[in-house]
Amino acid sequence: MSAHCQLTGTKPGFGNTISHSHRRTSRRFDPNIQRKRYWLPSEGRHVRLTLSTKAIKTVDVIGLEAAVARIRARGGKV
């Protein structure tokens, strides 16, 4: 599963782990991605979205129809 959010576009960030001796090694900061299934009444079907936890809260606030419209405006497939 790709670690990016369909709604917000959040992707992994990259940086370094710094040890006690100050050696740097690469690391990856993954967003908290969840797969969530919603009922989309306008189309009469369920949709499964890959969302970050922040985006799940955004869907709760703006509604599923508006969230799907934003995903489609970004060029995403629902």
Side-chain angles (χ1 to χ4, degrees):
M1 178 172 68
S2 176
H4 79 280
C5 175
Q6 288 181 298
L7 182 60
T8 61
T10 306
K11 294 180 182 176
F14 295 90
N16 290 310
T17 300
I18 302 179
S19 70
H20 180 71
S21 64
H22 220 65
R23 289 181 62 123
R24 291 176 166 96
T25 54
S26 294
R27 64 161 294 179
R28 182 173 145 150
F29 297 90
D30 284 327
N32 189 359
I33 298 294
Q34 308 291 322
R35 291 195 65 186
K36 188 127 169 80
R37 187 171 173 244
Y38 290 101
W39 173 253
L40 190 58
S42 64
E43 297 181 14
R45 66 185 183 103
H46 288 282
V47 292
R48 187 176 298 274
L49 301 176
T50 305
L51 302 171
S52 63
T53 51
K54 182 179 177 181
I56 291 172
K57 294 172 190 173
T58 302
V59 170
D60 292 342
V61 172
I62 66 173
L64 181 61
E65 299 290 338
V68 168
R70 283 189 192 180
I71 292 170
R72 288 181 173 150
R74 292 183 75 232
K77 184 180 173 193
V78 176

